[in-house]
Amino acid sequence: KQEVTQIPAALSVPEGENLVLNCSFTDSAIYNLQWFRQDPGKGLTSLLLIQSSQREQTSGRLNASLDKSSGRSTLYIAASQPGDSATYLCAVTNQAGTALIFGKGTTLSVSS
Amino acid sequence: KAGVTQTPRYLIKTRGQQVTLSCSPISGHRSVSWYQQTPGQGLQFLFEYFSETQRNKGNFPGRFSGRQFSNSRSEMNVSTLELGDSALYLCASSYSGNSYEQYFGPGTRLTVT
């Protein structure tokens, strides 16, 4: 059974810092991995989608990497801003493609 | 392009009642999935519909059901509500399923008293 773990559960940094969020999964037979952002009480905003054949994806200040063999992904946020404060969730789709399996998220707080 | 919309945004129901939630996907998307989010369990998959057919189902009791219409709009129904059904219910749409990028709606916050 696929399990997704995100470490740390919470992170506080000062504005301007570069930071890395971690995601690990137990079954490397994934179809893709997606990073989301969730603001309190709101829905999920898709940040980056990495297909299983890809190693990384970039969007603006965000860079996500994927190492399927080790069951790991990282989300790198450059020059963090207070507006980046949110919960970041990673989710994998198994090769069966049945559903997104989510981690519990990392809650990021960026102080000005 | 309009995003995924969900109605209503907030609901308060009493134990034993039933509730219907609605989701309109992004235009052109044919797959709609539903997720339940609670503080304890996180995000859990309920079911996925594609072209009016339930294609996948999560591990939830039969009180949870859904359907999809020919215009890809979807509804989910929860019968005989329990206190534990209080949650944020999120709908996601994609072009054709989980191999494609998923786009989520704002959710419906259901409170059962």
Side-chain angles (χ1 to χ4, degrees):
Chain A
K1 179 189 166 187
Q2 177 76 270
E3 291 183 0
V4 180
T5 303
Q6 291 186 248
I7 293 173
L11 182 63
S12 293
V13 301
E15 182 177 7
E17 250 192 40
N18 302 324
L19 58 102
V20 173
L21 306 181
N22 296 294
C23 172
S24 62
F25 45 95
T26 54
D27 185 349
S28 63
I30 64 168
Y31 203 96
N32 59 38
L33 183 145
Q34 199 166 348
W35 282 93
F36 295 91
R37 167 190 171 133
Q38 186 174 33
D39 292 286
K42 302 289 179 64
L44 277 62
T45 300
S46 176
L47 297 174
L48 291 164
L49 170 71
I50 311 177
Q51 300 290 353
S52 62
S53 58
Q54 298 175 318
R55 297 299 298 269
E56 66 177 329
Q57 283 285 342
T58 298
S59 175
R61 295 183 294 109
L62 304 179
N63 176 277
S65 68
L66 174 64
D67 185 341
K68 257 183 43 172
S69 60
S70 67
R72 293 184 183 185
S73 175
T74 60
L75 179 66
Y76 174 83
I77 303 177
S80 58
Q81 303 170 358
D84 295 330
S85 299
T87 296
Y88 291 80
L89 295 149
C90 79
V92 299
T93 303
N94 283 346
Q95 287 190 346
T98 53
L100 289 173
I101 301 164
F102 284 87
K104 293 291 180 68
T106 294
T107 299
L108 172 65
S109 175
V110 181
S111 56
S112 55
Chain B
K1 214 179 215 184
V4 179
T5 58
Q6 292 187 245
T7 57
R9 294 293 312 281
Y10 302 92
L11 267 178
I12 300 176
K13 291 287 188 178
T14 304
R15 266 184 306 176
Q17 287 186 316
Q18 75 165 15
V19 67
T20 299
L21 313 181
S22 180
C23 171
S24 292
I26 292 170
S27 177
H29 285 190
R30 296 184 295 168
S31 168
V32 174
S33 298
W34 289 88
Y35 291 82
Q36 180 196 65
Q37 186 177 31
T38 59
Q41 299 297 318
L43 276 147
Q44 293 184 287
F45 171 71
L46 282 156
F47 28 65
E48 183 214 0
Y49 286 87
F50 180 81
S51 294
E52 302 180 66
T53 301
Q54 186 181 86
R55 193 157 63 172
N56 295 298
K57 189 177 188 308
N59 189 26
F60 277 81
R63 299 185 298 106
F64 292 81
S65 63
R67 59 177 176 169
Q68 187 180 33
F69 302 95
S70 58
N71 62 358
S72 293
R73 190 178 71 85
S74 177
E75 289 181 347
M76 68 164 280
N77 182 277
V78 188
S79 63
T80 320
L81 284 165
E82 301 177 358
L83 295 178
D85 297 333
S86 294
L88 181 65
Y89 289 88
L90 292 162
C91 150
S93 81
S94 72
Y95 176 70
S96 186
N98 288 306
S99 58
Y100 293 82
E101 192 165 1
Q102 300 285 312
Y103 296 89
F104 280 77
T108 294
R109 171 72 64 186
L110 172 65
T111 301
V112 182
T113 61

